[in-house]
Amino acid sequence: MTGKTHLACGIFIGSSLSIYYGEDIFTSFTIVSLCGVASLVPDICHFKSNIGRKLFPLSLIIRTIFGHRTFTHSLLFLFLIFWGLKAIEAPEPYLVSIIMGMLSHIILDMLTPRGVKLFYPINISVKMPFVFRTGGVVDLSLSTAFTAITVVLWWKDIYRLFL
């Protein structure tokens, strides 16, 4: 999937989590932002991705050591991030938004023909039974759908403020 689709999905999930946790505007904004950024993090292993270009030296090192769609797209990576967030005692809404954003990325990449090395370091590619080309019509449609649903969620939330 493209970075736009990952980001649109991350913002959608973050928006849903902010409604679920029902926090103040600052916390809601933080949840949405963390989830959106976290939805891009697994592509740190690809130095031509949005996050890979911003953190090029780190991206190149990770790509050289692990390759693309391996360690950063695995349950092991998710567990290590979860453990790190628990170690620093991240508030639950922030921890959940980061993990869910990253998980959304991995699931979306499982919809591509290449799949992901979900059980890394075991070298098995995992993909869904139905796959779609990155940048194709389905990718664009998912991005559009996530964006539209997010706008509806935000609109309903804003509308409630004025009632």
Side-chain angles (χ1 to χ4, degrees):
M1 296 292 149
T2 62
K4 291 174 188 171
T5 303
H6 288 302
L7 185 59
C9 183
I11 291 172
F12 160 66
I13 292 171
S15 298
S16 300
L17 287 171
S18 72
I19 292 168
Y20 173 77
Y21 284 107
E23 299 285 346
D24 60 272
I25 189 72
F26 175 78
T27 305
S28 292
F29 179 77
T30 304
I31 288 169
V32 173
S33 298
L34 285 173
C35 198
V37 171
S39 72
L40 300 174
V41 167
D43 271 346
I44 188 77
C45 63
H46 185 37
F47 52 84
K48 291 185 179 179
S49 69
N50 292 325
I51 196 162
R53 285 193 308 269
K54 305 251 185 308
L55 302 170
F56 178 73
L58 179 60
S59 176
L60 185 61
I61 292 167
I62 292 170
R63 173 74 178 241
T64 302
I65 294 171
F66 299 108
H68 183 50
R69 288 193 184 175
T70 58
F71 174 65
T72 61
H73 287 69
S74 70
L75 294 175
L76 174 62
F77 185 65
L78 277 177
F79 173 75
L80 291 173
I81 296 296
F82 175 81
W83 179 77
L85 292 169
K86 286 296 259 185
I88 63 169
E89 298 180 4
E92 180 187 338
Y94 298 167
L95 182 147
V96 171
S97 64
I98 291 169
I99 296 301
M100 292 297 288
M102 293 174 62
L103 184 60
S104 74
H105 181 109
I106 293 168
I107 291 169
L108 285 172
D109 277 356
M110 289 169 62
L111 290 170
T112 64
R114 186 171 176 193
V116 299
K117 305 289 188 212
L118 189 62
F119 303 109
Y120 183 87
I122 299 170
N123 192 23
I124 298 172
S125 287
V126 177
K127 56 187 172 184
M128 297 291 186
F130 44 91
V131 295
F132 309 101
R133 188 175 61 82
T134 299
V137 172
V138 173
D139 191 351
L140 178 62
S141 298
L142 283 172
S143 179
T144 304
F146 289 135
T147 302
I149 294 168
T150 301
V151 168
V152 169
L153 288 176
W154 287 355
W155 180 257
K156 287 176 72 177
D157 220 27
I158 291 169
Y159 183 75
R160 261 183 270 159
L161 289 174
F162 296 105
L163 287 181

